[in-house]
Amino acid sequence: MRQRTVLRRLIKAYMKQNKLNTYLCRKIVKSGRQSPMGIGINTVNKILLDNSYHPTPLVVKTLLKKMGVKYTLDCGQVQICTP
């Protein structure tokens, strides 16, 4: 599986599990709390919807840490450890 496909699947599962959507994420951030995804919802939507968007390794690491997914770094690239 491609990394992009795995990352999208993990994000969708995390959002479903925590009952999150764009509206709720924006409302949480507006109330002064940290983003529930660890990064901005615009970036999350870009990852999910835009095939030409390539997130930086820092963004991917932040997302994976927030979701509790194990990963490794290989030559500066994030490799998702899937079961």
Side-chain angles (χ1 to χ4, degrees):
M1 251 191 206
R2 291 179 43 203
Q3 288 287 99
R4 181 182 302 272
T5 307
V6 173
L7 186 59
R8 285 177 176 168
R9 183 175 48 88
L10 290 170
I11 291 171
K12 288 178 183 178
Y14 181 80
M15 290 180 79
K16 184 176 181 180
Q17 177 185 5
N18 293 305
K19 297 179 179 129
L20 295 172
N21 57 29
T22 302
Y23 172 74
L24 290 176
C25 289
R26 290 187 197 280
K27 190 173 175 182
I28 289 169
V29 171
K30 191 173 182 180
S31 71
R33 291 184 284 170
Q34 185 183 12
S35 174
M37 299 294 291
I39 59 171
I41 192 65
N42 289 344
T43 306
V44 172
N45 285 336
K46 282 279 224 186
I47 293 170
L48 291 175
L49 303 174
D50 190 358
N51 287 330
S52 63
Y53 178 74
H54 299 286
T56 64
L58 180 63
V59 167
V60 176
K61 286 183 350 186
T62 304
L63 266 172
L64 294 176
K65 283 181 187 176
K66 191 70 172 182
M67 293 187 287
V69 176
K70 294 189 185 276
Y71 64 91
T72 59
L73 288 175
D74 184 24
C75 298
Q77 296 296 319
V78 178
Q79 302 296 321
I80 300 171
C81 300
T82 55

